Amino acid sequence: MKGVDLNTYAFDWDLTFAALLMNADGTVYHRYGGRSWESADARLSMDALTRLLVDGLAEDKAYRASGIEREAVKPLSIEEIPVFAERIRNNKELSCFHCHMATEAMREQAQKDKTWSPDDRWLWPLPDKLGLKLDPADPSKVLEISEDSPAAKAGLAAGDRLVTVNGARVRAEPDVQWVLHHTPPAGGTIAIAFERGGEQRAAKIELAAGWKSATPLEYSWRPAMWMLRPDPGFGGPDLDADEKKKLGLDPGAFAIRIGYLIDWGERAETGRSARKAGVQKGDVLLSVDGVSDFRSGQHFQTWFRFTREAGKIAELKLLRDGKPVSVSLPILK
Amino acid sequence: MRCRLALAASLLALAFVRPVSGDGEDFPWLTDLAAARAEARKSGRPMLVVFRCET
């Protein structure tokens, strides 16, 4: 991300594949890329990208013919964010600036400036938040509408084709995400133009306060999750089916083997505290405060950060050498 | 957490919007964003800018 202007190339920097269809003056026609807790590429399709490029060329031609000039935007690189600039000064070996570091640096800076609120976690919401499931291979087409969702209440149905969202042309899922990203958590109205059976129609989706909040599972894939607090101070890989079988666990049960207790950096105290409470490397974690319906270790880690409170105790159920062990873990700030 | 980042930008023309055969050597990807933007400005063609990060 060295030198990349985060204002011009604005996108969800937690993605593994982020593409922008744009022109030399910095006008972004469309973004392409997507990810969910299901997998890193669950929202990607070569057919969709090819269609986007073909349609995007026509859009570029029309834009150039229009004579519109892009408004100048003040550039901002990751190196110019003060907290990140300080990190570079303090760590001469830091030479590769990963995409997700941009998200993290902006959040850290906002926290330092006291302009951050917990609602700022909700980045680039998927259309699923409206109850809209779009076709990954043909992203303007609605595949499913969730019952009682804001999209269902607005009258949208499976098979509809989105044309614009708040006036922006929809050719890829991030076109909807862009609008949602800029809609406040307090709620709002999203204007949809769509086609049904060759007819042009319009709908308004009403979003209530709190609409933007993600569940721990929805958020669990984001690298930015790891920087949220409080954290348990330990972690490790999910057990595979064979390991679970050997321990007499259900194949679908949550179980992670504790592979590390944090003993480095600013959070070393959390690992020391977990060790002192009785957590050991090699233990298998089965539940926390009676909750065990986690899909993965990352889901557990996100849930812990979203729902546990610093200053309280988390009750862990573990297996050690196949035998049950209970640990009361103090949750640090 | 290990992360591998690659950035590439390609100038688009209709002929390029098709599957690329072999290892894609015939596909004009540029890895210098400023150079790609300058080339796009000169040629009047749009760009596809791709960021790739494995986390």
Side-chain angles (χ1 to χ4, degrees):
Chain A
M1 295 299 286
K2 253 186 196 171
V4 171
D5 174 7
L6 301 174
N7 288 335
T8 293
Y9 302 93
F11 203 178
D12 184 347
W13 298 119
D14 282 345
L15 297 177
T16 54
F17 179 89
L20 298 98
L21 179 60
M22 58 191 298
N23 70 26
D25 77 4
T27 301
V28 176
Y29 301 125
H30 295 280
R31 293 168 179 80
Y32 189 77
R35 191 170 170 180
S36 78
W37 60 270
E38 298 151 290
S39 78
D41 57 4
R43 304 291 172 130
L44 302 177
S45 151
M46 188 55 84
D47 283 348
L49 180 57
T50 305
R51 182 177 288 127
L52 174 69
L53 295 180
V54 172
D55 293 344
L57 283 171
E59 214 167 303
D60 173 65
K61 203 173 165 187
Y63 176 84
R64 286 168 198 276
S66 72
I68 296 169
E69 281 191 26
R70 179 184 179 242
E71 271 180 47
V73 175
K74 193 180 172 208
L76 174 72
S77 71
I78 189 169
E79 301 95 311
E80 290 170 310
I81 300 173
V83 291
F84 201 80
E86 191 181 336
R87 192 170 303 159
I88 297 168
R89 277 196 299 277
N90 295 337
N91 183 359
K92 302 290 178 207
E93 287 178 11
L94 183 63
S95 58
C96 180
F97 308 159
H98 306 169
C99 305
H100 61 90
M101 287 177 169
T103 310
E104 290 154 12
M106 286 192 270
R107 193 196 60 243
E108 271 181 66
Q109 189 61 51
Q111 284 175 324
K112 194 175 177 186
D113 297 342
K114 310 244 182 266
T115 58
W116 190 83
S117 98
D119 278 338
D120 294 335
R121 282 176 292 177
W122 316 131
L123 307 166
W124 295 86
L126 287 165
D128 308 41
K129 276 281 151 213
L130 309 178
L132 273 175
K133 180 89 177 163
L134 301 178
D135 184 347
D138 185 3
S140 62
K141 191 177 164 193
V142 177
L143 263 190
E144 283 173 36
I145 298 282
S146 308
E147 216 175 307
D148 291 330
S149 64
K153 287 173 187 160
L156 286 160
D160 289 345
R161 187 170 289 282
L162 304 185
V163 179
T164 63
V165 174
N166 278 3
R169 180 81 198 197
V170 178
R171 297 195 193 278
E173 195 163 66
D175 294 328
V176 180
Q177 290 178 269
W178 171 262
V179 171
L180 298 183
H181 184 64
H182 292 93
T183 301
T189 303
I190 308 286
I192 308 272
F194 66 101
E195 287 173 5
R196 180 182 294 167
E199 256 181 51
Q200 301 290 320
R201 299 194 179 200
K204 285 196 171 167
I205 297 182
E206 301 295 340
L207 296 172
W211 72 274
K212 220 169 185 175
S213 310
T215 64
L217 182 63
E218 288 167 341
Y219 202 83
S220 59
W221 62 270
R222 287 189 175 275
M225 171 275 288
W226 293 101
M227 303 298 284
L228 299 175
R229 307 289 177 248
D231 56 312
F234 61 82
D238 296 297
L239 261 60
D240 63 25
D242 282 348
E243 288 174 299
K244 285 182 190 173
K245 196 175 172 187
K246 277 181 200 160
L247 290 169
L249 299 172
D250 186 274
F254 165 72
I256 61 165
R257 187 170 299 283
I258 296 174
Y260 64 87
L261 289 109
I262 295 173
D263 58 3
W264 64 88
E266 294 166 0
R267 302 299 292 166
E269 187 55 36
T270 58
R272 281 198 289 270
S273 172
R275 182 174 284 113
K276 198 173 158 193
V279 178
Q280 293 182 16
K281 201 172 161 185
D283 286 349
V284 173
L285 177 69
L286 301 178
S287 73
V288 181
D289 291 338
V291 180
S292 60
D293 57 343
F294 305 117
R295 302 238 187 177
S296 65
Q298 284 202 206
H299 183 194
F300 150 68
Q301 293 281 356
T302 315
W303 171 86
F304 194 98
R305 287 160 167 79
F306 277 21
T307 65
R308 300 303 88 182
E309 218 177 298
K312 297 204 169 165
I313 299 287
E315 299 295 344
L316 313 183
K317 296 287 180 206
L318 305 155
L319 285 179
R320 184 174 300 151
D321 301 325
K323 291 180 186 146
V325 174
S326 296
V327 166
S328 297
L329 176 77
I331 304 172
L332 302 191
K333 223 174 167 183
Chain B
M1 191 180 306
R2 291 202 172 273
C3 177
R4 189 162 62 82
L5 167 71
L7 181 151
S10 180
L11 304 186
L12 295 172
L14 202 53
F16 295 133
V17 185
R18 57 174 168 71
V20 181
S21 59
D23 57 10
E25 277 179 11
D26 59 334
F27 200 65
W29 286 104
L30 302 171
T31 53
D32 181 328
L33 193 48
R37 210 161 158 185
E39 180 60 29
R41 196 169 283 118
K42 196 171 139 193
S43 67
R45 279 152 57 182
M47 306 189 293
L48 181 71
V49 179
V50 175
F51 296 87
R52 188 85 177 87
C53 196
E54 289 174 16
T55 54

